[in-house]
Amino acid sequence: TAVRDAQLADADVAVTLLTDRVDDAFLAAAPRLRMVANVAVGYNNVDVAACTARGVTVTNTPGVLTDATADLAMALLLMSTRRLGEGERLIRSKTPWKWGMFMMLGTGVQGRRLGIVGMGGIGEALATRAQAFGMEIVYYNRNAVDAATEERLGANLVTLDDLLATSDVVSWNCPYSEATHHLIDADALASMRSDAYLI
């Protein structure tokens, strides 16, 4: 903290990462600060109200990780349904094994329903990838996406209850906020199909 405070003492701009907590203590150490440039899509690490009160502008980098995050979500979806992680761990452990018809038998995703919670940029990018794998797309969002996007993705807006009850795979793509805190809880998990996957 002492090194950070020394660096901030004469700073006009601070370039922060999601691991940096920009709060009252941070701002007090930077009396000349006029801007916080947060290198992240989210800004949960920045007390925006405290910055605003001091006349400090806050910026972030929206969209920069959309494709990377959608790629990772699709990778997790495939790893889970095809049991790739389990298979990789088995091979690395050098545990003797013998092939069997149902050994590590995962499931295909073609024709399966993907429920996307949060159809922003990342949700849309994931839907595009899942569509290429032949998945049916449903989504839950505060607002419906435009009709052209729904048509392009073959996506249908449903209630959260319907999405959870009927999806083979549920992918959580909404930003973290007070409104989304514990949106998935024990009751939501209990409402999902017993063979469903949560990404």
Side-chain angles (χ1 to χ4, degrees):
T1 303
V3 172
R4 180 201 72 186
D5 289 355
Q7 292 172 330
L8 290 172
D10 295 325
D12 295 308
V13 176
V15 178
T16 59
L17 304 175
L18 58 92
T19 53
D20 297 315
R21 180 75 194 133
V22 180
D23 53 13
D24 284 323
F26 183 101
L27 296 167
R32 295 179 43 183
L33 198 65
R34 292 292 156 251
M35 175 180 280
V36 171
N38 200 43
V39 183
V41 174
Y43 48 90
N44 294 30
N45 59 308
V46 178
D47 184 338
V48 176
C51 289
T52 301
R54 289 178 168 84
V56 175
T57 301
V58 177
T59 65
N60 65 340
T61 52
V64 72
L65 297 174
T66 297
D67 285 323
T69 305
D71 287 349
L72 290 173
M74 194 68 204
L76 290 170
L77 188 157
L78 292 170
M79 286 185 68
S80 299
T81 58
R82 287 295 186 182
R83 300 177 66 182
L84 298 175
E86 290 175 80
E88 190 263 350
R89 287 189 297 276
L90 176 67
I91 296 298
R92 287 188 183 273
S93 74
K94 299 183 180 174
T95 302
W97 59 275
K98 181 179 177 184
W99 180 85
M101 182 78 123
F102 301 105
M103 180 188 178
M104 294 279 177
L105 182 63
T107 184
V109 296
Q110 300 79 9
R112 302 294 180 129
R113 177 177 271 199
L114 171 61
I116 297 176
V117 179
M119 191 60 114
I122 294 168
E124 287 185 30
L126 175 60
T128 299
R129 286 154 176 77
Q131 186 182 48
F133 280 83
M135 297 189 81
E136 173 194 356
I137 312 297
V138 295
Y139 73 97
Y140 169 76
N141 206 48
R142 286 178 296 195
N143 303 300
V145 298
D146 62 85
T149 300
E150 280 189 346
E151 185 175 343
R152 176 177 57 82
L153 298 172
N156 294 302
L157 177 66
V158 296
T159 66
L160 181 59
D161 290 341
D162 184 43
L163 183 145
L164 292 171
T166 65
S167 296
D168 296 290
V169 179
V170 174
S171 181
W172 221 254
N173 298 292
C174 50
Y176 176 76
S177 68
E178 286 185 24
T180 61
H181 183 74
H182 287 172
L183 189 59
I184 185 90
D185 57 13
D187 290 338
L189 290 171
S191 72
M192 291 174 64
R193 294 173 33 180
S194 63
D195 60 347
Y197 297 86
L198 176 63
I199 308 296

